[in-house]
Amino acid sequence: LAEITAVAERYLGPSPTHPYWAGAVVLAGRGGTVALETAVGRAVRYSDYDAATGRAVEFPPEEQIDATPDTVYDLASLSKLFTSLLVVQQLERGRIELEAPAARYVPEFAQGGKQDVTVRHLLTHTSGMPAWIALYRQPDREAMLRALWAVEPTDAPGTVYRYSDLSLITLQLVLERVTGKPLDVLLAEELTGPLDLTRTRYNPPADWRPRIAATEVSRPPWAGLDRGLVWGEVHDENAYAMGGVAGHAGVFSCAWDLAVLARTLLNGGEYGGVRVLSERSVELLFSDFNTAFPGDGHGLGFELNQHWYMGAMATPRTAGHTGFTGTCIVLDPTTDSFLVLLGNSVHPVRTWRS
């Protein structure tokens, strides 16, 4: 545990040229015990970035904000886990079928040759769709949806593993059609509310800003939009263009809330007397649906056995995910342990961590 803290602190320095992150929070536990909870560095350090010199502009020392265990981070792609859990809940309730084509629920999705893409393909990133398209370049939400409908798979569904934001955006639309509720409302009603995750939500209010870690100075050419310092709003351009609520990105949270989520899943879907998933459904999160693609193990929503970030915790049933902003969660059911790592490694700019 001391080594974990030392590594987190080491990345505050040259890694190898610039700091890997401005700050980070680490929380680890086994069973019902929190073994480590620590914060290092700054949640907010830089106000701007000068591309000509490659130097960052720091806030005055009195305006910089330390990272604390309660700091809220933009989770980036960890948001995909919440979307996936909401889908699995609907699988339980019989409103969605795993092997059903997504077009059963969103008929427009069948355009572009996607009629055979199933819910399982979307949850396991085997849809054959491209990884990403620049939806934020569209003028409005309806145009974004038309662009998504027009996407053509580059491979037949089920024949290739390709991590795709588009899969989780599609699942958002499936959920919204099936339930008649927006994704942020579903998140609050079905997960964060029942589990009392009070610091987990889309679009955090303005008064949360002093407790939120800043992300990137967003400016072309390294970013898609010219927004200046992104702080308190979602970093991902497509999620931002979608109003901050998207299936692939947009959720903000803190280490403790993610620890509660981890314990809920390791407990078989229950925490504090509240059950959000059945044990059978939780088992689907830790079961590999991608045995045809060695090295790309995937449960429903969760990556499995990824040594590159799970390290010594990696086993065939170890589940987790990473996020572009510098976030990570790992759950190991074989040892009943978890680790949450939240950093702002794109602060001040994504290229520094290269």
Side-chain angles (χ1 to χ4, degrees), residues 5 61 152:
T5 302
E152 298 180 3

Side-chain angles (χ1 to χ4, degrees), residues 169-249:
I169 294 172
T170 303
L171 287 172
Q172 170 190 359
L173 301 173
V174 169
L175 283 167
E176 293 178 342
R177 291 286 180 92
V178 166
T179 66
K181 297 178 180 180
L183 185 63
D184 54 340
V185 172
L186 278 176
L187 178 66
E189 291 183 353
E190 301 288 357
L191 288 175
T192 62
L195 294 175
D196 198 28
L197 307 182
T198 59
R199 289 168 292 176
T200 303
R201 60 169 293 164
Y202 287 101
N203 287 327
D207 61 2
W208 281 29
R209 195 170 187 253
R211 294 177 286 154
I212 297 175
T215 54
E216 188 172 37
V217 177
S218 176
R219 190 176 297 130
W222 61 86
L225 296 172
D226 191 349
R227 300 168 59 193
L229 177 63
V230 179
W231 177 15
E233 295 181 318
V234 63
H235 171 261
D236 181 90
E237 290 94 342
N238 281 345
Y240 175 73
M242 294 174 70
V245 180
H248 71 294

